[in-house]
Structure formats: C-alpha cells, structure tokens
Amino acid sequence: QQPVQSPQAVILREGEDAVINCSSSKALYSVHWYRQKHGEAPVFLMILLKGGEQKGHEKISASFNEKKQQSSLYLTASQLSYSGTYFCGTANNNAGNMLTFGGGTRLMVKP
Amino acid sequence: SAVISQKPSRDICQRGTSLTIQCQVDSQVTMMFWYRQQPGQSLTLIATANQGSEATYESGFVIDKFPISRPNLTFSTLTVSNMSPEDSSIYLCSVDSDRVSRETQYFGPGTRLLVL
C-alpha cells in the first residue's frame, strides 16, 4: 500500500522552513527521500534505516519514527534550488530494496 | 552512484505499435527496476528485471504488455507493446546503489512516451 505524504503542496519564501511527512500503514525497515525537478529524474536525497541510522547527501535533515511508521523531511532556510516534488519511498524489509513511493509533495520556493 | 542512461529519451508513437526502451548502467548492479510515472503522478513499479531469469511483475502489469529483458548485470530493456494513448507516460529505470550494500535506488533520466 502506498505511503501517504502531506502536505500535497507547499509554497515558501526563500529562507523559510518546511516539513514534509510520510506515513505508512505497514511496519517500515527504511525510508528513502527523493527530489524530482520538472522534466528530470528523481534524485536521491537521504535514507533512514530502522534503528535510527541516517544517511544523506545534502544539508537537509529527516527523522524516522519506527513506532509511528512515519518519517519527516525538514527543509530549513529553504533555497530556490529546493523547489521540486519530494517523494518518500518505503521498504518493508531489507531484502532487495523494493520501494513503494508516496504521492509526492510539490514544493515551490519563491524569492 | 552509478551512471545510468536510457534510450530513447523521448518518442511519439502510433497506437498499436511497440517501443523498446533501453537502460544501460556503467557498473554491474544486482537489481534493476522499471517504473512508470504518469504526468503529475507518483512512481509506480512495473517490474523487477532479474538477470538470467524472468522479470517479476507487480500487480496490474503483465509480461505480454511489458516484456522485459536483462541479459547481463549492466543492461535491461522494457518493451511497451500494442500501445494505446493510456500508455503515454514517463518510463524510468532504476538500479541498486551498490552491488554489495544495495542501500537505495538511483534513477535513469527517463523516457517520455506519447502515444497518439
């Protein structure tokens, strides 16, 4: 079943903060966050693993609450380059990285 | 991360015809996946391309419509058969991040398909 993302869309001014949430009805092993700009492929941002380990490539943070089967992506002091659609992908086990993606959150950062 | 290329990058096709999309990776990977992304929508997994065996299809997708090949650890093809306008979409391949750790997936640039 597809994880649920909220909000569906958000508009920010440069420098403002945003939080994107991802909830699953199933127990999660890992949560993977991607950003996709219009006309481009999704780009990997961060993975959060069961047990609290967090790995990422950019100055964007995230949390993973295994009990609540939720993850949140925190975008602080947003930049124009943060604009795009953010997807969470969830894996229910560590066998093969089968990801199920949420519906996406469209983020627009304005000057 | 692996460098992934897809061909063609875009195509316009007539209904009833078939199109084969290629996905090439610059390093050996264990898992290759094919996704469909309809305009403004999320990513839907079509199938997992298994090297040396038949692909594993997700619910709603069948081999006759989306035959997949995986002849080696760096290459896969997806064919969209007997196309209809409903097949207009972006088709993306993705691969394991690393053959050993396989932590996440990286996506190719996608193939934009329009069926008239």
Side-chain angles (χ1 to χ4, degrees):
Chain A
Q1 195 166 357
Q2 187 181 43
V4 176
Q5 285 186 235
S6 63
Q8 289 187 323
V10 59
I11 300 175
L12 298 175
R13 291 283 178 194
E14 213 172 353
E16 292 181 340
D17 302 340
V19 180
I20 300 172
N21 300 302
C22 175
S23 298
S24 174
S25 58
K26 295 183 178 181
L28 297 176
Y29 174 77
S30 61
V31 180
H32 308 232
W33 286 97
Y34 293 80
R35 177 173 61 214
Q36 184 178 32
K37 293 185 180 286
H38 184 69
E40 299 180 9
V43 173
F44 171 74
L45 295 176
M46 180 171 295
I47 178 174
L48 299 107
L49 299 169
K50 189 174 180 179
E53 191 177 4
Q54 175 180 318
K55 301 182 185 181
H57 297 276
E58 295 188 15
K59 295 179 182 177
I60 295 174
S61 62
S63 64
F64 180 19
N65 187 323
E66 296 164 34
K67 258 188 176 181
K68 292 186 178 180
Q69 296 165 187
Q70 292 177 346
S71 176
S72 295
L73 188 71
Y74 304 97
L75 305 164
T76 55
S78 59
Q79 306 168 18
L80 296 176
S81 61
Y82 285 6
S83 292
T85 302
Y86 289 77
F87 292 100
C88 67
T90 57
N92 300 114
N93 56 59
N94 65 345
N97 260 333
M98 301 299 295
L99 298 181
T100 305
F101 286 90
T105 297
R106 295 185 185 180
L107 176 74
M108 180 183 293
V109 181
K110 293 185 172 181
Chain B
S1 61
V3 176
I4 308 164
S5 60
Q6 282 186 237
K7 288 182 183 180
S9 59
R10 58 181 67 239
D11 208 341
I12 301 173
C13 300
Q14 297 298 318
R15 67 171 68 208
T17 63
S18 298
L19 176 72
T20 296
I21 302 167
Q22 299 178 5
C23 179
Q24 179 76 54
V25 193
D26 69 340
S27 58
Q28 292 184 341
V29 293
T30 304
M31 306 284 276
M32 295 182 80
F33 305 92
W34 286 98
Y35 287 85
R36 181 172 73 185
Q37 186 177 31
Q38 294 180 313
Q41 301 298 311
S42 184
L43 302 148
T44 302
L45 181 64
I46 297 172
T48 302
N50 303 308
Q51 196 265 329
S53 63
E54 265 194 19
T56 305
Y57 289 84
E58 297 300 303
S59 176
F61 298 96
V62 295
I63 188 171
D64 290 346
K65 176 68 176 177
F66 297 102
I68 286 171
S69 78
R70 177 90 191 269
N72 56 53
L73 292 175
T74 64
F75 186 77
S76 177
T77 67
L78 169 76
T79 299
V80 186
S81 304
N82 189 23
M83 288 184 283
S84 66
E86 292 71 36
D87 294 320
S88 297
S89 192
I90 300 172
Y91 291 86
L92 296 140
C93 73
S94 74
V95 306
D96 275 43
S97 56
D98 176 86
R99 197 173 172 197
V100 175
S101 68
R102 297 167 59 194
E103 284 183 327
T104 191
Q105 294 180 28
Y106 291 103
F107 285 86
T111 296
R112 285 151 185 79
L113 172 62
L114 177 63
V115 184
L116 302 176

